[in-house]
Amino acid sequence: MSRLITRRRFIAGATAASLLTGCDAHPIKGFLGAMKDWNEKFEGFIFSPGRLAPEEAAADTTPESAFPAYFIADTMPTLPANWTLSVGGLVERELVLTLDQLQKMPRTDLRVRHHCVEGWSAVASWHGVRISEIAKAAGLKPGVRYVEFNSFDDDYFSSWDLGSAMHPQTILAYGMNGHPLGPNHGAPLRVYSAVKLGYKMCKYLTEVNFLPNKTGGYWEDQGYDWFGGV
Amino acid sequence: MREARDPAFKGGRKQPIPASEGRSDQSKGRRTQPMPVFNGRREQPLPIRIVHWCNAVFLILMAGSGLQIFMAYPSLGPRGTQYGWYPFQGKPTPAWTRIGGWLGGGRHWHFAIAWFFVFNGIFYLMYFFLSGEWRRRMFRPWRDAHGAVAQFLYYLRIRRTPPPEDFYNGLQRFAYTSVIIFGVVMVLSGLAIYKPVQLHFLTILFGGYDGARVVHLAGLCLFTMFLAAHLVLVSLHPREILNMITGGPRE
């Protein structure tokens, strides 16, 4: 994980952290670990599947140049030729979807506040297809409790609780502020959600897997909270 | 533990009401409550001493871990439209003010100690009201405002003599009651930042997510100012520090 140090900045402290504590190599243990587990349960407990984040006014849209974007690869990930999205895991029908097919599914538009783990907020509008629509198309088998998102941004990934993924304001976005998603914001497809912190919203998507077990995530494995709800 | 079981002020003798305090009450057509006598109870009963020293530790950890979190975005206002009135945009606090080592560490400390801080506070408030301690501690404007101003003028050396005081002077009551309110505001604004969607009603109360961050940071500034004044004043009255350890004399 030493690559983290040379990678683009995400959190200034992260570099110091991996040097000081080796936090990327070891899970949080002891008192803090117990409290982290407790807080994760608490986050799940207060998450309400039906609670909607308010729509923001168009006038509050953040200038796009001021909306931070990052990736973990050394250079901006470029769209692979013949890109498709694979949907798998515990599903009735494994799917391989092209962008065109995704765009023909029911479209959802959101303009909600984005909350970063760092403490900043920003507003953009996003459009795409709800993950619940993807789940409907694939047909979830009993026992699905988690959803894992994988990307072509090196080994960036993130796993979610099913409830947050199926939230009506959680989408696979192919557009931002009325135009197709730019490469800095995860083109061609990214997760966008009103109910998670930014680092949970995997960009440059390649796979959505509906799973019975919890996996981690790029930042989550380095010690950031797994639930990451807002 | 004897003091905790005491039925407290029942049948206590009445203390004279300072002349300055009678006035405002008459205009409201009510009598000033006589200061109850806390028979046999120490000045600082054991539950209050425990809560006080736990709180000292929790507040330091909360402030340090909070400033560690703040360092990741040491600015106020949303991206693109940061608040112009905040003079320290982009400036984190020095390393010695921060606890946790990195953003995730700061978050884990902050969200871990928050539980202890909240339950300590709930325990305190329950004791405060159920034991009757609120009667001699809580700032009540019609009783204490005049004395608080007089005490403040005395500290500024504008007034030559301190106003009469009973258990606490008016300014002490004002400060110690204010800081309880700061604590409540800190918890609520913190929750508003922690879960701005799930606890959206709280976030609205503070003017949105970035408003709640402003309130949360302002609360830290007020806490710090309280602490500075508290440390100066108790160092001038070291017996009060001893009382907060031993409990002090019985009433």
Side-chain angles (χ1 to χ4, degrees):
Chain A
M1 282 295 177
S2 61
R3 257 191 309 175
L4 174 68
I5 297 162
T6 60
R7 278 178 183 155
R8 287 170 59 92
R9 58 108 195 96
F10 175 52
I11 294 128
T15 308
S18 49
L19 291 171
L20 285 171
T21 65
C23 63
D24 48 351
H26 307 104
I28 315 287
K29 286 179 185 164
F31 167 73
L32 278 192
M35 292 308 294
K36 181 174 179 258
D37 292 346
W38 167 259
N39 280 323
E40 187 178 302
K41 290 194 182 80
F42 177 71
E43 285 192 83
F45 173 75
I46 66 164
F47 169 73
S48 168
R51 180 161 294 128
L52 297 181
E55 284 280 318
E56 299 286 333
D60 291 335
T61 303
T62 305
E64 239 176 83
S65 58
F67 201 120
Y70 79 98
F71 42 82
I72 62 160
D74 293 329
T75 55
M76 192 180 291
T78 46
L79 181 59
N82 303 318
W83 176 91
T84 53
L85 177 75
S86 302
V87 180
L90 279 182
V91 290
E92 305 288 349
R93 297 167 291 279
E94 293 196 343
L95 305 175
V96 177
L97 300 167
T98 63
L99 192 58
D100 194 47
Q101 285 172 311
L102 285 159
Q103 286 169 342
K104 285 189 174 125
M105 295 176 78
R107 171 175 155 161
T108 296
D109 285 67
L110 306 173
R111 191 186 292 112
V112 290
R113 190 161 292 276
H114 182 103
H115 302 93
C116 178
V117 66
E118 292 180 314
W120 52 264
S121 79
V123 176
S125 68
W126 305 88
H127 59 272
V129 53
R130 281 190 182 127
I131 293 178
S132 59
E133 290 288 341
I134 306 280
K136 200 159 66 179
L140 300 194
K141 287 183 180 169
V144 173
R145 290 183 60 207
Y146 301 92
V147 187
E148 185 186 84
F149 303 103
N150 289 295
S151 76
F152 59 86
D153 180 14
D154 272 9
D155 48 0
Y156 200 101
F157 77 111
S158 188
S159 78
W160 289 35
D161 57 298
L162 184 64
S164 299
M166 302 297 272
H167 189 273
Q169 290 173 313
T170 301
I171 63 174
L172 301 184
Y174 44 74
M176 175 189 190
N177 291 336
H179 58 71
L181 206 56
N184 54 336
H185 284 287
L189 193 69
R190 65 168 294 177
V191 181
Y192 198 85
S193 176
V195 296
K196 290 288 191 197
L197 291 171
Y199 68 87
K200 297 298 292 181
M201 305 178 200
C202 191
K203 300 192 274 194
Y204 311 101
L205 269 190
T206 53
E207 283 179 30
V208 177
N209 291 311
F210 295 92
L211 302 175
N213 55 316
K214 185 171 135 184
T215 56
Y218 177 77
W219 293 110
E220 295 87 328
D221 290 351
Q222 293 171 46
Y224 286 92
D225 27 324
W226 172 82
F227 198 92
V230 296
Chain B
M1 288 306 289
R2 200 192 126 213
E3 62 269 30
R5 286 200 312 272
D6 268 334
F9 41 84
K10 272 180 193 159
R13 73 191 135 80
K14 297 190 175 187
Q15 289 188 341
I17 303 158
S20 59
E21 293 180 357
R23 263 180 303 136
S24 55
D25 294 298
Q26 281 163 3
S27 62
K28 288 178 185 167
R30 56 192 295 178
R31 293 283 309 151
T32 302
Q33 290 277 317
M35 177 51 59
V37 173
F38 291 69
N39 286 328
R41 191 184 289 182
R42 292 190 189 278
E43 282 187 14
Q44 303 296 354
L46 187 62
I48 286 187
R49 280 178 272 152
I50 292 172
V51 166
H52 174 271
W53 291 113
C54 286
N55 216 28
V57 174
F58 297 157
L59 277 177
I60 288 167
L61 290 172
M62 289 305 281
S65 56
L67 289 171
Q68 180 67 55
I69 297 170
F70 185 65
M71 185 190 163
Y73 181 59
S75 302
L76 295 178
R79 285 284 185 184
T81 49
Q82 294 179 345
Y83 301 138
W85 52 262
Y86 180 62
F88 309 113
Q89 296 287 10
K91 294 192 179 69
T93 58
W96 63 265
T97 63
R98 304 193 299 259
I99 292 171
W102 59 297
L103 173 58
R107 283 169 61 87
H108 296 323
W109 274 110
H110 206 68
F111 304 148
I113 301 301
W115 289 98
F116 294 85
F117 178 70
V118 166
F119 282 110
N120 199 47
I122 290 172
F123 176 76
Y124 176 78
L125 287 177
M126 283 173 62
Y127 178 78
F128 187 77
F129 288 109
L130 296 178
S131 70
E133 282 291 332
W134 67 277
R135 292 169 185 276
R136 59 179 181 176
R137 290 171 193 270
M138 195 169 79
F139 179 77
R140 281 178 279 178
W142 56 90
R143 180 187 70 186
D144 299 317
H146 185 270
V149 172
Q151 187 72 31
F152 189 63
L153 295 177
Y154 171 68
Y155 283 141
L156 294 179
R157 303 186 174 219
I158 293 168
R159 185 185 154 120
R160 282 172 171 276
T161 55
E165 63 180 79
D166 35 67
F167 178 70
Y168 277 158
N169 64 55
L171 194 59
Q172 279 175 298
R173 289 208 178 94
F174 179 73
Y176 296 146
T177 304
S178 302
V179 84
I180 295 171
I181 295 167
F182 298 166
V184 172
V185 170
M186 285 303 262
V187 170
L188 295 180
S189 59
L191 284 169
I193 300 168
Y194 181 55
K195 293 290 168 248
V197 174
Q198 302 307 321
L199 304 176
H200 188 62
F201 55 97
L202 273 181
T203 314
I204 291 172
L205 191 68
F206 293 106
Y209 175 81
D210 288 280
R213 282 184 89 239
V214 171
V215 172
H216 208 57
L217 191 69
L220 177 63
C221 294
L222 290 171
F223 260 130
T224 309
M225 284 160 64
F226 170 85
L227 180 65
H230 188 53
L231 292 180
V232 167
L233 289 169
V234 296
S235 69
L236 295 174
H237 305 277
R239 204 177 66 88
E240 299 294 332
I241 303 174
L242 199 65
N243 287 354
M244 195 46 91
I245 297 167
T246 65
R250 295 183 189 277
E251 288 271 304

